[in-house]
Amino acid sequence: MAWYEILIGVILVIASVLIVIIVLMQQSRQSGLSGAIAGGSESFFGKNKGRTLDAKLAKITKILSVVFFIFTILVTFLIAYLQAKN
């Protein structure tokens, strides 16, 4: 294996693990049954704090997804190039 194959593989693994962790950190958009019964009342500040954190996590998720997609396409072309070369 060449060094660039190992590097791209490591980047793909790190990006995929980070995507999973960040998606799990995001709050659910549903309040569930407890929110329907209790009314799901939150203070104004609590809502805004959660939205800003969720907005940051959503932005990081999008960036990591693009990185993952680009490196996956790069690996596909690299494998095709190396097979055509041999």
Side-chain angles (χ1 to χ4, degrees):
M1 280 187 128
W3 64 271
Y4 51 85
E5 293 174 341
I6 295 171
L7 179 67
I8 293 173
V10 168
I11 291 172
L12 281 173
V13 168
I14 290 172
S16 62
V17 169
L18 286 175
I19 289 171
V20 169
I21 290 171
I22 291 175
V23 167
L24 289 175
M25 287 175 55
Q26 294 178 8
Q27 289 183 354
S28 174
R29 301 284 187 239
Q30 301 173 354
S31 61
L33 185 59
S34 63
I37 295 172
S41 61
E42 290 186 29
S43 69
F44 173 74
F45 298 110
K47 286 183 179 180
N48 284 336
K49 182 179 177 185
R51 285 185 183 162
T52 57
L53 178 62
D54 279 343
K56 289 178 185 177
L57 289 175
K59 185 175 183 179
I60 293 170
T61 303
K62 290 175 187 175
I63 292 170
L64 285 174
S65 300
V66 168
V67 168
F68 182 80
F69 181 74
I70 289 172
F71 275 98
T72 303
I73 296 295
L74 182 66
V75 167
T76 303
F77 285 127
L78 182 66
I79 290 172
Y81 172 75
L82 291 176
Q83 286 181 351
K85 188 177 176 182
N86 291 333

